[in-house]
Amino acid sequence: GAVVSQHPSWVICKSGTSVKIECRSLDFQATTMFWYRQFPKQSLMLMATSNEGSKATYEQGVEKDKFLINHASLTLSTLTVTSAHPEDSSFYICSAGGDPGGGRYNEQFFGPGTRLTVL
Amino acid sequence: QKEVEQDPGPLSVPEGAIVSLNCTYSNSAFQYFMWYRQYSRKGPELLMYTYSSGNKEDGRFTAQVDKSSKYISLFIRDSQPSDSATYLCAMSAGGGNQFYFGTGTSLTVIP
């Protein structure tokens, strides 16, 4: 249980285009989803936290107009990188919080990540 | 001061060695302590999950939490080449609160 998928796993786009990344909890309801980015050889940097049906809470320094987060259902959250530029190239990882059973409501379950390359 | 400090390594050990990975933290409100393993270009995989102080063992892995010293450890016994990865510690105050991650320690186990 507690499987989280991300799509796509890898995307290359041209500068100025927008890219949408999907995060799905496959076998449990995710009341909260988190979006992270990770640069090579660095740790995960939390970008935003979203609860189903409400606006995302962005971390300081993260542009909410550039990184649009939608958490429309308990199993799906999307991150849209708008007008992407080469400096947005990174590894984006989502995680889901909820209770997949067994009282595991304090855990986060991570997706496999999406590698974005902006040319 | 960072919430969580972790030595980034890299750490290189021979196969069969005992590996010790550590993190320190500053926030006494942290109650939940996790260790994740991350292979290159993959998402983090939960290895150990511990609540409050004490030890927890799972196969070759042992997690220790010392809340009085604000110090957590992960021990890997009989290390294998397949253990080569980056190990991230994480902690939270619980209740759906934010996780705070260490920078990760890169481990290589040499056959």
Side-chain angles (χ1 to χ4, degrees):
Chain A
V3 178
V4 177
S5 69
Q6 271 183 251
H7 178 80
S9 58
W10 187 31
V11 57
I12 301 175
C13 69
K14 292 183 179 180
S15 185
T17 60
S18 294
V19 175
K20 180 184 282 188
I21 303 170
E22 291 187 351
C23 177
R24 292 182 185 272
S25 58
L26 299 183
D27 52 3
F28 71 104
Q29 293 184 329
T31 50
T32 307
M33 284 192 172
F34 304 84
W35 285 96
Y36 298 85
R37 68 187 295 182
Q38 186 179 34
F39 292 106
K41 299 187 186 294
Q42 294 189 24
S43 190
L44 284 73
M45 184 192 80
L46 180 65
M47 299 175 67
T49 303
S50 73
N51 294 295
E52 185 263 341
S54 61
K55 289 185 178 180
T57 301
Y58 290 80
E59 295 299 301
Q60 191 173 11
V62 178
E63 299 175 61
K64 58 184 176 183
D65 293 331
K66 181 168 186 61
F67 299 100
L68 301 178
I69 292 172
N70 183 280
H71 190 169
S73 77
L74 285 171
T75 59
L76 173 65
S77 176
T78 60
L79 167 67
T80 301
V81 183
T82 62
S83 187
H85 291 281
E87 58 266 29
D88 298 323
S89 299
S90 188
F91 193 51
Y92 291 87
I93 307 173
C94 71
S95 72
D99 188 2
R104 301 175 68 183
Y105 47 84
N106 283 307
E107 294 186 41
Q108 287 186 29
F109 304 95
F110 285 85
T114 297
R115 183 158 303 279
L116 170 64
T117 301
V118 184
L119 302 176
Chain B
Q1 183 186 10
K2 288 183 182 177
E3 295 271 7
V4 181
E5 299 277 358
Q6 183 177 8
D7 187 342
L11 188 60
S12 185
V13 301
E15 184 175 354
I18 296 175
V19 176
S20 173
L21 305 168
N22 311 294
C23 288
T24 58
Y25 63 96
S26 56
N27 190 341
S28 58
F30 290 150
Q31 296 282 346
Y32 298 88
F33 305 91
M34 286 69 65
W35 285 96
Y36 288 88
R37 177 174 62 196
Q38 187 177 24
Y39 293 111
S40 181
R41 302 190 178 209
K42 300 289 185 184
E45 169 195 7
L46 181 66
L47 276 179
M48 301 290 281
Y49 176 87
T50 310
Y51 171 70
S52 194
S53 285
N55 295 354
K56 185 174 183 179
E57 187 174 323
D58 184 1
R60 296 185 294 111
F61 299 91
T62 300
Q64 288 185 351
V65 175
D66 182 349
K67 289 189 68 181
S68 62
S69 302
K70 297 188 178 66
Y71 186 88
I72 69 170
S73 300
L74 176 70
F75 297 95
I76 307 174
R77 292 186 300 281
D78 187 25
S79 55
Q80 302 295 310
S82 58
D83 295 329
S84 299
T86 296
Y87 290 80
L88 295 152
C89 64
M91 43 200 81
S92 82
N97 284 341
Q98 179 179 342
F99 276 26
Y100 292 86
F101 286 88
T103 52
T105 300
S106 175
L107 171 67
T108 301
V109 180
I110 303 168

